[in-house]
Each structure stands twice: as C-alpha cells, then as structure tokens.
C-alpha cells in the first residue's frame, strides 16, 4: 500500500509540475516609459500650462492646474539636488511622482492621473507633528 501511495503522489506532483510548466503565464501590463525633458515639455505631456514660480539654474518649479486637480511640477539640474529637495519636502507629507530630474507633487488622485501620463515612481511623505 505504501508503494502505491508513493506512486500516486509522485504522479500527482509530476502532473502539477508539467501543467505549471506548459501553462502560459499572464503577460505583465506594459510599463509606461518615464517622461523626460524640460519643465515645459513635461507640463505639455501632462496637459498643463505651467505657471513658473521658481526659475534658477538648479531648480525650475511651476504650479499646474488640470482637469485632474492642482499640483506642483519641478525640474532639477542634478539628481542629488532632486533627492535633497524630495527628502526635505517629504517631511511635510504629500504624494510625489518622481522621474529622472523631475518631480510632481499633489493629492493622491492627481498623482495617480499624472502617473499614467508621465510614468515615474510614486513616493509618499510623512507628516511629523509636534504632538
């Protein structure tokens, strides 16, 4: 009896392994290519007419309003400058859509909509209260 049980278990395991190997696996959803470019190029891709509030060699920042809502779009001269800006800003909370040398900050729903247009990765800030 033990030999028969081992044979049955072996056959079941082999069938599961073979079935798993021949079954097609679902294709992942195509990744959205992360946008790049100037502040104006990124804004155009996001369907925004940017109102520039900071225009320096290290940082260009604009306010945007679209059908999805309001957000801030910023571009940076360096990766380090971008990371320092994000690290400081995240202390105030918020949701950040981050690309190479650019970031968009807004409410979750706005960032989700922008993610579909600009790609990038989503980061969330943490509010540190004094209580």
């Amino acid at each position: 009896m033990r030999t028969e049980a081992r044979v049955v278990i072996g056959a079941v395991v082999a069938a599961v392994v073979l079935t798993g190997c021949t079954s097609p696996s679902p294709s992942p959803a195509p990744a959205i290519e992360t946008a790049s470019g100037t502040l104006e190029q990124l804004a155009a891709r996001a369907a925004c007419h940017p109102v520039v509030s900071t225009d320096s060699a290290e940082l260009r920042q604009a306010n945007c309003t679209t059908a999805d809502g309001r957000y801030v779009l910023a571009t940076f001269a360096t990766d380090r400058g971008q990371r320092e800006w994000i690290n400081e800003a995240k202390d105030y909370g918020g949701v950040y859509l981050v690309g190479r040398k650019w970031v968009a900050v807004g409410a979750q729903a706005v960032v989700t909509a922008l993610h579909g247009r600009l790609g990038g990765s989503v980061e969330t800030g943490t509010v540190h209260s004094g209580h």
Side-chain angles (χ1 to χ4, degrees), residues 52 65 67 85:
V52 177
T65 303
W85 186 93

Side-chain angles (χ1 to χ4, degrees), residues 17-95:
V17 169
L18 290 175
T19 302
C21 291
T22 60
S23 297
S25 59
S27 300
I32 296 169
E33 182 180 334
T34 300
S36 63
T38 66
L39 180 73
E40 289 77 13
Q41 290 167 333
L42 292 165
R45 187 165 173 176
C48 157
H49 177 72
V51 178
V52 177
S53 60
T54 303
D55 192 0
S56 70
E58 297 82 25
L59 166 71
R60 295 194 71 221
Q61 184 171 305
N63 297 311
C64 286
T65 303
T66 65
D68 301 311
R70 293 175 43 177
Y71 61 96
V72 173
L73 181 62
T75 57
F76 304 87
T78 65
D79 294 324
R80 180 178 175 181
Q82 175 189 20
R83 183 47 49 195
E84 288 173 354
W85 186 93
I86 292 169
N87 289 344
E88 282 188 36
K90 285 173 78 173
D91 285 341
Y92 298 97
V95 181

Side-chain angles (χ1 to χ4, degrees), residues 70-74 83 85-87 89-99 102-115 118-127:
R70 293 175 43 177
Y71 61 96
V72 173
L73 181 62
R83 183 47 49 195
W85 186 93
I86 292 169
N87 289 344
K90 285 173 78 173
D91 285 341
Y92 298 97
V95 181
Y96 302 79
L97 182 60
V98 181
W102 62 265
V103 64
V105 185
Q108 179 70 53
V110 175
V111 169
T112 299
L114 286 173
H115 188 250
L118 298 176
S121 61
V122 177
E123 298 183 23
T124 305
T126 304
V127 177

